[in-house]
Amino acid sequence: MFYQQARRSFWRRHPVITGVAALVTFWWLANGWYEAVAVTAIVGLLLFVSRRRKALAIRDAGLRARADYEYRLSLRGDQRGVFGRYPPVQAGWFPDPQNRCQIRYFDGVMWTPHAVGR
């Protein structure tokens, strides 16, 4: 898998755990246990940073694998290796982006001034 789906945030995936953690934090603050709150926050931050680094390393490995795959395709002369997943749009008549009642000629690079009614 080269691309990952975006995940929802932790508190949206686990609302009960987040609520209990917030209640415990408020209870600790009300009782004056500031050191416990600080230690818990530091440990949580360290866990977040380590998991984020791991996720970025996995993403970068996937991107490197995709680039290597496309490079090997381009060496063989396959067009997928030249353009990647999204080949360029071919020239032709398409609906005009500014006027839906017309079609305009796209030359493969840019829109031309040639337009006709539908």
Side-chain angles (χ1 to χ4, degrees), residues 6-17:
R7 287 180 26 174
R8 295 184 321 187
S9 61
F10 180 85
W11 68 271
R12 287 189 186 256
R13 286 182 287 140
H14 307 289
V16 174
I17 294 173

Side-chain angles (χ1 to χ4, degrees), residues 2-116:
F2 295 119
Y3 300 97
Q4 293 181 347
Q5 297 292 326
R7 287 180 26 174
R8 295 184 321 187
S9 61
F10 180 85
W11 68 271
R12 287 189 186 256
R13 286 182 287 140
H14 307 289
V16 174
I17 294 173
T18 305
V20 169
L23 288 175
V24 168
T25 302
F26 290 138
W27 184 67
W28 283 353
L29 289 173
N31 288 325
W33 297 352
Y34 304 115
E35 294 85 9
V37 174
V39 168
T40 305
I42 291 170
V43 168
L45 184 63
L46 290 174
L47 282 172
F48 172 77
V49 168
S50 68
R51 288 184 180 191
R52 180 72 177 158
R53 282 186 181 170
K54 183 178 178 182
L56 290 176
I58 291 171
R59 185 203 64 187
D60 291 344
L63 291 174
R64 281 193 300 275
R66 179 69 186 196
D68 183 49
Y69 171 72
E70 290 178 0
Y71 176 69
R72 284 186 275 122
L73 284 175
S74 68
L75 289 179
R76 284 188 265 162
D78 192 339
Q79 290 296 316
R80 292 177 297 167
V82 175
F83 299 112
R85 289 183 68 179
Y86 306 104
V89 176
Q90 301 298 319
W93 292 92
F94 295 98
D96 190 352
Q98 279 84 29
N99 186 353
R100 298 271 180 212
C101 297
Q102 292 182 341
I103 56 175
R104 185 173 296 273
Y105 189 76
F106 184 75
D107 65 2
V109 177
M110 59 186 292
W111 294 102
T112 63
H114 307 293
V116 294

